[in-house]
Amino acid sequence: NAGVTQTPKFRVLKTGQSMTLLCAQDMNHEYMYWYRQDPGMGLRLIHYSVGEGTTAKGEVPDGYNVSRLKKQNFLLGLESAAPSQTSVYFCASTSGVNTGELFFGEGSRLTVL
Amino acid sequence: KNQVEQSPQSLIILEGKNCTLQCNYTVSPFSNLRWYKQDTGRGPVSLTIMTFSENTKSNGRYTATLDADTKQSSLHITASQLSDSASYICVVSRTGGGNKLTFGTGTQLKVEL
């Protein structure tokens, strides 16, 4: 019973490089989210999806793109990484935002040099 | 502005002692309030979720209370254990669409021998 799985768990990039973080959930959840967590700050929403084929901007979307081609997968892309994107990224999913439990992945630690 | 404030920012207690963490929010319209536990290097894990009509909910040694009138919540930990050392995050949900969660910055709890 995997829940929410994120890959990779760690990555080091140079400024200007691109990469994609993959989030996969096996709970048939409609809602999926990408957050970033920085020291001294609460989790901040980057992008989210309310179903297959849909995406929407969150609180801090600049510099990121997402896609939800399959219901179980939510991809977060960085086209040209910047040092300000050094962070821990968390994916989460839920069956219902109002009452459903929110399940998080284990996080992906990204360092941009 | 929708905000969630937690106190104290950090706390150190001796094993076996009790403690209470606070959460004040200004999120409106209110849907539910959640408490999460986040171990170092891991994703947050749900402890409790309370709707407007619930004023207390327990999960083992964790008891959450909610006063929707004063917009305050507390998380009480009984007979603390070393494994309770973690960050505890308060999350408040608004009614509406898919991105209506506001996260607090967390209380860092350390339980010592």
Side-chain angles (χ1 to χ4, degrees), chain A:
Chain A
N1 193 6
V4 179
T5 303
Q6 294 181 227
T7 53
K9 290 182 171 51
F10 301 94
R11 184 75 186 269
V12 178
L13 289 177
K14 293 182 180 179
T15 298
Q17 288 185 320
S18 63
M19 75 159 296
T20 300
L21 298 176
L22 171 63
C23 176
Q25 52 94 4
D26 61 2
M27 296 171 282
N28 202 36
H29 286 167
E30 290 292 340
Y31 298 86
M32 296 187 75
Y33 305 83
W34 274 108
Y35 294 93
R36 60 179 288 173
Q37 187 174 43
D38 301 293
M41 304 184 75
L43 284 150
R44 292 183 293 168
L45 182 64
I46 305 171
H47 286 282
Y48 67 101
S49 169
V50 300
E52 181 179 321
T54 74
T55 63
K57 294 180 179 180
E59 182 184 354
V60 287
D62 294 343
Y64 305 95
N65 56 74
V66 288
S67 65
R68 182 113 181 257
L69 299 179
K70 293 183 179 180
K71 186 176 184 178
Q72 63 268 33
N73 295 338
F74 195 29
L75 278 65
L76 178 71
L78 285 73
E79 290 186 347
S80 179
S84 61
Q85 294 178 304
T86 294
S87 187
V88 182
Y89 293 85
F90 288 97
C91 177
S93 73
T94 183
S95 58
V97 68
N98 285 330
T99 57
E101 185 171 337
L102 191 61
F103 293 87
F104 285 86
E106 291 299 304
S108 298
R109 182 174 294 275
L110 175 65
T111 301
V112 183
L113 302 175

Side-chain angles (χ1 to χ4, degrees), chain B residues 11-36:
Chain B
L11 181 63
I12 301 174
I13 62 173
L14 295 176
E15 187 180 31
K17 299 297 185 182
N18 303 335
C19 68
T20 300
L21 313 180
Q22 301 291 342
C23 173
N24 296 336
Y25 62 92
T26 60
V27 176
S28 181
F30 177 85
S31 176
N32 60 69
L33 185 144
R34 310 157 188 241
W35 283 94
Y36 284 84

Side-chain angles (χ1 to χ4, degrees), chain B residues 22-86:
Chain B
Q22 301 291 342
C23 173
N24 296 336
Y25 62 92
T26 60
V27 176
S28 181
F30 177 85
S31 176
N32 60 69
L33 185 144
R34 310 157 188 241
W35 283 94
Y36 284 84
K37 178 187 180 188
Q38 185 177 21
D39 293 319
T40 300
R42 308 293 297 273
V45 175
S46 179
L47 294 175
T48 63
I49 176 170
M50 290 183 292
T51 60
F52 184 88
S53 59
E54 298 173 297
N55 55 23
T56 186
K57 183 164 280 190
S58 292
N59 179 356
R61 294 180 296 101
Y62 300 100
T63 300
T65 64
L66 173 65
D67 186 334
D69 291 332
T70 62
K71 298 186 176 181
Q72 295 179 325
S73 176
S74 65
L75 181 68
H76 186 74
I77 304 174
T78 303
S80 61
Q81 300 176 358
L82 296 178
S83 60
D84 292 331
S85 296

